[in-house]
Amino acid sequence: MDNSLLVSLSHQIAAQRSMDVIANNLANMNTSAYRRDELKFEEYLERSQPGEDQKGIQTTSFVQPAGIVRDNSEGRIEATGNPFDLAISGKGYFAVQTANGERYTRDGHFTLNADGTIVTETGDPVMTDGGAVAITTDDGDVTISSDGTISGDQGQIARMRVVQFADDMALTKEGASYYASSQQPTDAESGYKLEQGMLERSNVVPITEMTAMIDVMRSFQAINNMISAQEDLKRKAVTSLGTFSAAA
């Protein structure tokens, strides 16, 4: 396979990877607190010895994915009316205890399970400064202040555990809007506030993603057209050579 086809193939692979990322963003446009991803690319140069009628080391430029970058800008905050829905304004993550260990999320769509424990949509307990906490009927109407203090008719119950990390970009996405991290989280004391009865929406802007998708599709089509043109030239060259040989 000649270099032109290899270069075209590298562009096609990059376009396919980019389309996968865009499609995933669009699929999560309604996922609370979802952070959009963007695929970054870099140039890869392959060096080879000069061929006939060439001088010096030859280079061929390929494109290759350099990694996925997460957009950590905050989504808009909307009212839901659910007293256990919480939005984080500012820097921070809720700590959640899962079967795989502690995980972190900004999706504050919480509810009470049959035992009265505050849990996520997947049923995992949400951590407070005293671990998982259960709300009883004696607590009455529960309020959660901007610093995470949970209070009921009997007084203060607990305080939501909000954590921060030195490098948010190092967090690894998992399913169910969870993040995992090898970093040691620190309990947040400032730089955030909780808003009760609110949820942070995804920061995906559909029109932006659709525009990017159209650009990728056009690029992919242009590459296909280039490959088809190259194949046509080769076929014509082979046909012409065959005709010339037969005439000779």
Side-chain angles (χ1 to χ4, degrees), residues 56-229:
I57 297 297
Q58 303 298 299
T59 60
T60 304
S61 176
F62 297 90
V63 61
Q64 66 177 7
I68 294 176
V69 177
R70 185 166 58 249
D71 177 2
N72 275 328
S73 61
E74 293 184 34
R76 69 183 186 278
I77 293 178
E78 293 184 351
T80 65
N82 180 354
F84 291 101
D85 279 347
L86 297 173
I88 299 177
S89 179
K91 187 177 180 181
Y93 299 84
F94 297 107
V96 179
Q97 188 60 47
T98 74
N100 297 318
E102 191 169 84
R103 294 295 184 265
Y104 312 96
T105 185
R106 285 183 64 94
D107 182 0
H109 184 42
F110 304 141
T111 187
L112 302 182
N113 66 9
D115 298 326
T117 302
I118 302 176
V119 296
T120 65
E121 285 189 283
T122 55
D124 296 318
V126 181
M127 296 291 98
T128 69
D129 53 4
V133 64
I135 305 299
T136 68
T137 55
D138 293 336
D139 292 316
D141 292 333
V142 171
T143 61
I144 303 175
S145 66
S146 60
D147 70 350
T149 300
I150 308 170
S151 303
D153 291 348
Q154 306 299 314
Q156 182 172 330
I157 301 170
R159 182 181 176 188
M160 298 295 298
R161 185 175 174 226
V162 178
V163 301
Q164 296 174 344
F165 296 89
D167 183 7
D168 287 0
M169 297 301 294
L171 297 176
T172 303
K173 278 187 176 181
E174 294 188 352
S177 297
Y178 288 162
Y179 293 94
S181 179
S182 58
Q183 303 175 76
Q184 185 65 34
T186 57
D187 291 338
E189 296 297 335
S190 61
Y192 79 96
K193 69 174 182 177
L194 300 189
E195 299 191 45
Q196 186 177 14
M198 304 279 191
L199 279 181
E200 179 188 0
R201 296 305 183 185
S202 164
N203 67 355
V204 173
V205 180
I207 188 64
T208 301
E209 301 299 328
M210 291 299 296
T211 301
M213 181 176 286
I214 292 172
D215 288 341
V216 172
M217 291 173 64
R218 286 175 175 170
S219 176
F220 192 88
Q221 187 60 51
I223 297 167
N224 280 344
N225 291 341
M226 184 178 69
I227 292 175
S228 296

